[in-house]
């Protein structure tokens, strides 16, 4: 699969490592320039590009930049992607630590709904509560007892299945959180956020979530 990754931090970098190792054609971009990604591309065989072109020809795009930077992504950066490309949003809202106040999210809009509106494309929320190092250290084969599971939310069942299949290939089970309107259940401050539980545990934690955002994750 041709995959574009926009953001080369901890999650973006380790997804580049894992996805290239699985044989995917990965193009990766950061907020600076392709030249600054030479160590990562030399290590993985991925291609570096400007953010405006990282999604060109991609069947799947991963947006993994700080939430506050989403509105600053190049206009039309998804126009070169394959029609119907699936877009994964890995973002979290950290108003006190990084992002500042975003009124719509403070008023209750799920974070990935906000991201989808900013980029003008449906998204699937995944990897947002995953420790980056776990992508390298915790994959296991399907059927492994107590296999680490990740929650996944999205409106389009077909797009969500593409993401779930990809995560399975990466070595993790998945649990369907529901639509993006339900994705608050996996946002920061919820029981499942940062969980390393198996599918049964993740379902239990999603069910235990409360809609009120904890004070440490409000502006």
């Amino acid at each position: 699969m041709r995959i574009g990754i926009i953001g080369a931090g901890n999650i973006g970098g380790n997804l580049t490592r894992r996805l290239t190792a699985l044989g995917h054609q990965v193009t990766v971009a950061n907020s600076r320039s392709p030249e600054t990604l030479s160590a990562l591309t030399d290590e993985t065989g991925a291609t570096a590009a400007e953010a405006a072109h990282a999604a060109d020809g991609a069947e799947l795009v991963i947006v993994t930049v700080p939430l506050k930077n989403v509105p600053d992504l190049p206009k039309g950066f998804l126009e070169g992607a394959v029609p119907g490309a699936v877009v994964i949003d890995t973002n979290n809202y950290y108003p006190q630590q990084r992002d500042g106040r975003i009124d719509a999210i403070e008023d209750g809009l799920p974070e990935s709904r906000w991201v989808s509106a900013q980029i003008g494309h449906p998204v699937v929320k995944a990897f947002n509560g995953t420790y980056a190092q776990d992508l390298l250290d915790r994959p296991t084969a399907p059927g492994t007892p107590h296999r680490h599971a990740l929650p996944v939310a999205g409106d389009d069942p077909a797009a969500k299945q593409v993401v779930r299949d990809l995560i399975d290939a990466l070595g993790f089970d998945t649990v369907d959180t529901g639509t993006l309107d339900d994705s608050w259940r996996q946002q920061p401050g919820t029981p499942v956020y940062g969980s390393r539980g198996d599918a049964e545990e993740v379902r239990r934690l999603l069910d235990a979530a409360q809609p009120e955002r904890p004070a440490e994750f409000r502006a």
Side-chain angles (χ1 to χ4, degrees), residues 8 25 34 40 53 64 77 83 95 99 115 207 209 211 214 217:
Q25 295 177 264
L40 181 62
H53 298 291
T64 182
F77 74 96
D99 297 316
V115 170
D207 287 344
F217 295 107

Side-chain angles (χ1 to χ4, degrees), residues 11-111:
I11 292 289
N14 281 351
L15 283 173
T16 299
R17 292 179 176 93
R18 291 298 321 284
L19 292 169
T20 52
L22 289 175
H24 297 287
Q25 295 177 264
V26 176
T27 300
V28 60
N30 63 11
S31 60
R32 292 172 290 169
S33 68
E35 292 75 20
T36 64
L37 292 169
S38 59
L40 181 62
T41 57
D42 288 348
E43 174 191 347
T44 63
T47 299
E50 299 284 352
H53 298 291
D56 289 358
E59 301 158 81
L60 184 141
V61 180
I62 301 171
V63 177
T64 182
V65 300
L67 194 75
K68 67 177 181 178
N69 294 343
V70 169
D72 299 325
L73 289 171
K75 185 177 180 180
F77 74 96
L78 292 171
E79 290 177 357
V82 170
V86 175
V87 177
I88 297 176
D89 168 38
T90 77
N91 269 294
N92 294 303
Y93 177 49
Y94 300 126
Q96 298 178 29
Q97 302 93 332
R98 182 190 66 194
D99 297 316
R101 182 183 180 90
I102 298 175
D103 286 339
I105 297 176
E106 291 287 335
D107 291 341
L109 186 70
E111 296 162 6

Side-chain angles (χ1 to χ4, degrees), residues 99-191:
D99 297 316
R101 182 183 180 90
I102 298 175
D103 286 339
I105 297 176
E106 291 287 335
D107 291 341
L109 186 70
E111 296 162 6
S112 288
R113 278 269 181 243
W114 183 85
V115 170
S116 179
Q118 297 301 309
I119 67 174
H121 195 285
V123 302
V124 176
K125 189 177 189 73
F127 300 112
N128 72 292
T130 308
Y131 294 103
Q133 192 62 33
D134 286 352
L135 294 170
L136 304 181
D137 294 346
R138 292 181 61 84
T140 54
T144 300
H146 306 297
R147 192 187 195 204
H148 188 156
L150 309 183
V152 177
D155 295 335
D156 182 343
K160 193 158 45 177
Q161 191 60 53
V162 169
V163 176
R164 297 183 73 177
D165 289 345
L166 184 71
I167 292 173
D168 181 58
L170 285 167
F172 302 90
D173 280 346
T174 58
V175 173
D176 189 344
T177 302
T179 70
L180 286 187
D181 288 338
D182 303 308
S183 64
W184 61 268
R185 293 182 178 274
Q186 65 190 75
Q187 291 179 170
T190 61

